[in-house]
Amino acid sequence: MIVAALVLMLLVAVLSLAAKDLLATVVLLAVFSLLCAVVFYYLHAPDVAITEAAVGAGVSTLILVWAVRRTARGGEG
Amino acid sequence: MIPWDFVLWFFLGSLVLGLVRLVIGPSTADRLVGLNLVAGQVLTLLVLLAVKEDVALYLDVALVYDIFGFLGILAIVKYFTKRRTS
């Protein structure tokens, strides 16, 4: 099951790199850090998973959305 | 007893279905609904694993993720309200 989570992480990471819309990239990065927390959880490191969930899913999404709002949304095109 | 393998793989499969909506969603609102769905599925998965392993510390991961994941979803929703009014 950890292999399935790692494959999903790889898929989400490639898609977040390929997305044109920056807000879609932010959403995909939130899912990426969520799956990363699940992987840490499987590896019996709940404290690392707590930090990853707090920083990756919450604060990082908040800061990235704030940055997208202050700058252009449509990518480099 | 609870068939753990079936339950965990079932939730992982439904997580993949939510992930499909998150990836192909035409608008960002669709992606937001997909993110909310995936967050709920993963929260259930974390709680189920905590019950399976029978360690109370693992429940804290689910608690902290629920609080901060809601904060992240709230940030994206706030972005939409700012866009609509201006």
Side-chain angles (χ1 to χ4, degrees), chain A residues 1 3-5 7 16 20 34 36 42 45-48 57-58 64 67-69 71 75 77:
Chain A
M1 193 153 172
V3 177
V7 167
S16 77
K20 294 291 182 192
L34 172 58
C36 197
Y42 266 105
D47 43 355
V48 188
L64 284 175
V68 168
R69 190 195 290 173
T71 58

Short mmCIF file of all heavy atoms in Angstrom, two decimals, chain A residues 1 3-5 7 16 20 34 36 42 45-48 57-58 64 67-69 71 75 77:
data_model
loop_
_atom_site.label_atom_id
_atom_site.label_comp_id
_atom_site.label_asym_id
_atom_site.label_seq_id
_atom_site.Cartn_x
_atom_site.Cartn_y
_atom_site.Cartn_z
N MET A 1 0.82 -1.20 0.00
CA MET A 1 0.00 0.00 0.00
C MET A 1 0.86 1.26 0.00
O MET A 1 0.47 2.29 -0.55
CB MET A 1 -0.88 -0.01 1.25
CG MET A 1 -1.97 1.03 1.19
SD MET A 1 -3.37 0.57 2.15
CE MET A 1 -4.30 2.08 2.04
N VAL A 3 3.52 1.46 -1.69
CA VAL A 3 3.92 1.60 -3.09
C VAL A 3 2.84 2.37 -3.86
O VAL A 3 3.14 3.25 -4.67
CB VAL A 3 4.17 0.21 -3.70
CG1 VAL A 3 4.50 0.33 -5.17
CG2 VAL A 3 5.29 -0.49 -2.97
N ALA A 4 1.58 2.07 -3.56
CA ALA A 4 0.49 2.79 -4.22
C ALA A 4 0.52 4.27 -3.85
O ALA A 4 0.34 5.14 -4.72
CB ALA A 4 -0.85 2.17 -3.81
N ALA A 5 0.80 4.58 -2.58
CA ALA A 5 0.87 5.99 -2.17
C ALA A 5 2.04 6.69 -2.84
O ALA A 5 1.91 7.85 -3.26
CB ALA A 5 1.00 6.07 -0.65
N VAL A 7 3.37 5.90 -5.79
CA VAL A 7 3.05 6.08 -7.21
C VAL A 7 2.10 7.27 -7.38
O VAL A 7 2.27 8.10 -8.30
CB VAL A 7 2.43 4.78 -7.78
CG1 VAL A 7 1.80 5.04 -9.14
CG2 VAL A 7 3.50 3.73 -7.92
N SER A 16 1.49 18.45 -11.24
CA SER A 16 1.59 19.81 -10.72
C SER A 16 2.69 20.59 -11.43
O SER A 16 2.61 21.81 -11.56
CB SER A 16 1.85 19.79 -9.22
OG SER A 16 3.19 19.47 -8.99
N LYS A 20 -0.81 24.39 -16.26
CA LYS A 20 -0.64 25.77 -16.71
C LYS A 20 -1.17 26.75 -15.67
O LYS A 20 -0.60 27.81 -15.46
CB LYS A 20 -1.37 25.97 -18.03
CG LYS A 20 -0.79 25.19 -19.17
CD LYS A 20 0.56 25.73 -19.57
CE LYS A 20 1.12 24.96 -20.75
NZ LYS A 20 2.51 25.25 -20.98
N LEU A 34 -0.15 16.06 1.30
CA LEU A 34 -1.06 15.17 2.03
C LEU A 34 -0.64 13.71 1.88
O LEU A 34 -0.55 12.96 2.86
CB LEU A 34 -2.47 15.40 1.48
CG LEU A 34 -3.58 14.49 1.91
CD1 LEU A 34 -3.70 14.55 3.40
CD2 LEU A 34 -4.86 14.94 1.28
N CYS A 36 2.30 12.76 1.10
CA CYS A 36 3.60 12.65 1.76
C CYS A 36 3.42 12.38 3.26
O CYS A 36 4.14 11.58 3.86
CB CYS A 36 4.37 13.93 1.52
SG CYS A 36 6.11 13.82 1.83
N TYR A 42 2.91 5.83 7.35
CA TYR A 42 3.16 4.40 7.15
C TYR A 42 4.53 3.98 7.66
O TYR A 42 4.71 2.84 8.07
CB TYR A 42 3.08 4.06 5.67
CG TYR A 42 1.74 3.59 5.26
CD1 TYR A 42 0.89 4.39 4.55
CD2 TYR A 42 1.32 2.31 5.59
CE1 TYR A 42 -0.35 3.96 4.18
CE2 TYR A 42 0.09 1.87 5.23
CZ TYR A 42 -0.74 2.70 4.53
OH TYR A 42 -1.96 2.27 4.18
N ALA A 45 6.36 7.25 11.60
CA ALA A 45 6.92 8.51 12.09
C ALA A 45 5.78 9.51 12.22
O ALA A 45 5.63 10.39 11.37
CB ALA A 45 8.00 9.03 11.15
N PRO A 46 4.96 9.38 13.25
CA PRO A 46 3.78 10.26 13.32
C PRO A 46 4.12 11.72 13.60
O PRO A 46 3.37 12.60 13.18
CB PRO A 46 2.96 9.66 14.46
CG PRO A 46 3.92 8.90 15.26
CD PRO A 46 4.97 8.41 14.33
N ASP A 47 5.25 11.98 14.26
CA ASP A 47 5.59 13.39 14.52
C ASP A 47 5.98 14.11 13.24
O ASP A 47 5.61 15.27 13.03
CB ASP A 47 6.70 13.47 15.56
CG ASP A 47 7.79 12.46 15.32
OD1 ASP A 47 7.63 11.64 14.41
OD2 ASP A 47 8.80 12.48 16.04
N VAL A 48 6.73 13.41 12.37
CA VAL A 48 7.07 13.99 11.07
C VAL A 48 5.80 14.18 10.24
O VAL A 48 5.65 15.17 9.52
CB VAL A 48 8.08 13.09 10.34
CG1 VAL A 48 8.58 13.76 9.09
CG2 VAL A 48 9.23 12.77 11.24
N ALA A 57 0.26 21.05 4.14
CA ALA A 57 -1.12 21.19 3.67
C ALA A 57 -1.72 22.53 4.06
O ALA A 57 -2.51 23.10 3.32
CB ALA A 57 -1.98 20.06 4.24
N GLY A 58 -1.36 23.06 5.21
CA GLY A 58 -2.01 24.28 5.67
C GLY A 58 -1.27 25.54 5.33
O GLY A 58 -1.70 26.33 4.49
N LEU A 64 1.14 30.11 -0.63
CA LEU A 64 1.18 30.06 -2.09
C LEU A 64 -0.03 30.74 -2.70
O LEU A 64 0.09 31.43 -3.72
CB LEU A 64 1.29 28.60 -2.55
CG LEU A 64 2.66 27.98 -2.38
CD1 LEU A 64 2.62 26.52 -2.75
CD2 LEU A 64 3.66 28.68 -3.25
N ALA A 67 0.58 34.37 -2.54
CA ALA A 67 1.51 34.81 -3.58
C ALA A 67 0.85 34.84 -4.95
O ALA A 67 1.09 35.74 -5.75
CB ALA A 67 2.73 33.89 -3.60
N VAL A 68 -0.02 33.86 -5.24
CA VAL A 68 -0.72 33.85 -6.53
C VAL A 68 -1.67 35.04 -6.63
O VAL A 68 -1.81 35.66 -7.69
CB VAL A 68 -1.45 32.51 -6.71
CG1 VAL A 68 -2.41 32.58 -7.89
CG2 VAL A 68 -0.48 31.41 -6.95
N ARG A 69 -2.29 35.40 -5.51
CA ARG A 69 -3.21 36.54 -5.54
C ARG A 69 -2.45 37.84 -5.78
O ARG A 69 -2.94 38.74 -6.47
CB ARG A 69 -3.96 36.62 -4.21
CG ARG A 69 -5.09 37.62 -4.25
CD ARG A 69 -5.58 37.95 -2.89
NE ARG A 69 -6.30 36.84 -2.28
CZ ARG A 69 -6.70 36.87 -1.01
NH1 ARG A 69 -6.44 37.91 -0.27
NH2 ARG A 69 -7.34 35.85 -0.51
N THR A 71 0.38 38.16 -7.46
CA THR A 71 1.03 38.19 -8.77
C THR A 71 0.04 37.67 -9.82
O THR A 71 -1.14 37.56 -9.56
CB THR A 71 2.30 37.34 -8.76
OG1 THR A 71 1.95 36.02 -8.40
CG2 THR A 71 3.30 37.88 -7.77
N GLY A 75 0.36 31.60 -15.16
CA GLY A 75 1.60 30.96 -15.51
C GLY A 75 2.50 31.90 -16.29
O GLY A 75 2.34 33.13 -16.25
N GLY A 77 2.86 32.05 -19.57
CA GLY A 77 2.40 32.35 -20.93
C GLY A 77 1.80 33.75 -21.07
O GLY A 77 1.55 34.46 -20.14
#
